[in-house]
Amino acid sequence: NEDGTGARVSYSVTNTEWSKRFHLGCHWRMGDIWKPNKALTRVELSACFTILDSEWNSTEELDWEKKLRISNTACLLISGYYGALRGEELSRVHLGMIRANWSESIGYPLACHVPLMLVGRFKNVKGQVVFCQPLATTTNDGFNIIQWFHRCISAHAAGGMGSCLLFRNEQGNKLSLAEMDTWLHDILHKVQQKFPSVIPDATQIEDEFSVYRSLRRGANTEARNVRIPQDIIDANLRWRKVMRSKGMI
């Protein structure tokens, strides 16, 4: 059935769960099924961090790998929402460059900030480049961005990792979009279980949310709701387009 339910009556290859997902994916990619990524709301994001904070503080005896996964998930949400990065951009956040610019950035007297550093090749940009997307250390509503990045840096250091991409898989390679989606879906499922009033049980998380656009779309929606000027929104959400228009890249 279209809702994914049904029973197999044979062991044909075309009747397997994999085949069902494959054909569904084909229809998505061909545009037969069109469902844009849902924007992650401020309330949903807040619920995510309530759970992540609880997991981090649940015990002082967490090993560095668990701390790394918790803090990485938090920094992924921060980078996608507050940094307004999406899919391909998130995979280029570089831990080594963040560490290299950390002391200068958080000690900058005029505008203390978290240096969200990106390294790599980007669409419509020639060659490998380094970008810095400065983030406020603390938001107006009191969310502590710098604390989560400090936790993440410390967790990486405990695992002997200092100069590498921030979001990597177990093999040490940069995360694919599908792997990053797994991180996002995992925390959203926890929100759905613990806060059903925030994400109802009927919500199909895998179908509606993706790091490709959900985080940045949520940031854009929130910015418009609080009437932030469009030029400031563009500088953050469409930073590469703005920089190209100024001849900076």
Side-chain angles (χ1 to χ4, degrees), residues 212-241:
Y212 185 63
R213 289 190 184 276
S214 290
L215 297 171
R216 190 166 82 166
R217 186 164 285 160
N220 188 31
T221 301
E222 178 63 21
R224 292 178 182 276
N225 287 343
V226 298
R227 299 182 180 180
I228 292 178
Q230 187 61 45
D231 59 333
I232 295 179
I233 294 177
D234 288 343
N236 190 40
L237 273 73
R238 297 171 180 82
W239 52 279
R240 281 191 286 162
K241 183 183 292 185

Side-chain angles (χ1 to χ4, degrees), residues 51-68:
I51 292 174
L52 291 170
D53 265 316
S54 176
E55 291 180 346
W56 183 273
N57 297 322
S58 61
T59 175
E60 294 297 327
E61 298 180 357
L62 282 175
D63 60 57
W64 69 268
E65 290 182 328
K66 291 181 180 178
K67 287 186 174 181
L68 185 63

Side-chain angles (χ1 to χ4, degrees), residues 162-236:
S163 183
C164 56
L165 292 171
L166 184 59
F167 307 124
R168 307 183 305 159
N169 58 25
E170 295 180 354
Q171 289 71 43
N173 301 317
K174 71 178 181 180
L175 288 181
S176 65
L177 183 62
E179 289 172 319
M180 286 188 284
D181 273 345
T182 299
W183 289 15
L184 175 64
H185 296 158
D186 284 348
I187 186 62
L188 290 180
H189 274 298
K190 292 178 181 179
V191 171
Q192 190 176 48
Q193 293 170 5
K194 190 168 184 177
F195 304 107
S197 61
V198 175
I199 301 181
D201 291 339
T203 301
Q204 299 295 319
I205 289 174
E206 283 79 4
D207 291 343
E208 299 193 22
F209 294 96
S210 172
V211 296
Y212 185 63
R213 289 190 184 276
S214 290
L215 297 171
R216 190 166 82 166
R217 186 164 285 160
N220 188 31
T221 301
E222 178 63 21
R224 292 178 182 276
N225 287 343
V226 298
R227 299 182 180 180
I228 292 178
Q230 187 61 45
D231 59 333
I232 295 179
I233 294 177
D234 288 343
N236 190 40

Side-chain angles (χ1 to χ4, degrees), residues 34-50:
W34 185 77
K35 183 183 289 186
N37 293 153
K38 182 179 179 182
L40 190 73
T41 68
R42 186 176 176 179
V43 174
E44 292 164 346
L45 184 71
S46 178
C48 289
F49 282 107
T50 296

